[in-house]
Amino acid sequence: QVHVVESGGGLVEPGGSLRLSCAASGFSLNYFAIGWFRQAPGKEREGVSCITSTEGVTNYADSVKGRFTTSGDNAKNVFYLQMNNLKPEDAAVYYCAVAIGRPCRVGISERTFDYWGQGTQVTVSS
């Protein structure tokens, strides 16, 4: 069974930084994509970023380009979302998701992803 666990959320002031981690396990296929999504209260879930395991190619939502960076350690199946210069509008529950056997797409659609973590809360407030 595929298991996905994200962590690293917390409370930061505007302009601060956080690094989220995603540990994925329970699958043998080496080709997959890791997506990061977020959902604020009353809002639809939004794609934030995606990284393809083999190529390391990344996609980002326009709202986070230049501020967020996704990376990972394929050998350990641990992936990261480094968030810099956080803004109040970045506050949300952040989810890590895994797409088996598929690459990232520009749109970062949640329909692409097969398995999801439980979410970690990011709060941005002064």
Side-chain angles (χ1 to χ4, degrees):
Q1 185 176 0
V2 174
H3 191 55
V4 183
V5 179
E6 64 272 79
S7 61
L11 172 64
V12 297
E13 295 187 352
S17 298
L18 285 173
R19 189 179 75 165
L20 306 183
S21 298
C22 175
S25 63
F27 57 95
S28 60
L29 193 64
N30 291 326
Y31 188 71
F32 58 92
I34 299 292
W36 288 96
F37 296 80
R38 65 188 183 187
Q39 188 168 25
K43 304 292 185 179
E44 297 288 333
R45 189 169 294 174
E46 173 190 19
V48 174
S49 70
C50 186
I51 182 168
T52 298
S53 61
T54 302
E55 300 92 347
V57 175
T58 55
N59 296 333
Y60 297 95
D62 289 342
S63 59
V64 306
K65 285 181 179 177
R67 300 188 298 119
F68 291 12
T69 302
T70 191
S71 62
D73 184 336
N74 286 345
K76 297 180 179 179
N77 280 355
V78 177
F79 302 87
Y80 305 100
L81 183 67
Q82 178 67 47
M83 305 185 293
N84 298 325
N85 192 24
L86 283 159
K87 303 175 180 180
E89 53 263 42
D90 295 318
V93 176
Y94 282 71
Y95 298 89
C96 178
V98 178
I100 302 297
R102 294 191 293 269
C104 294
R105 305 289 171 84
V106 172
I108 318 177
S109 172
E110 66 181 72
R111 292 180 174 85
T112 301
F113 294 86
D114 304 295
Y115 303 97
W116 294 76
Q118 80 288 348
T120 185
Q121 177 71 53
V122 173
T123 302
V124 185
S125 177
S126 60

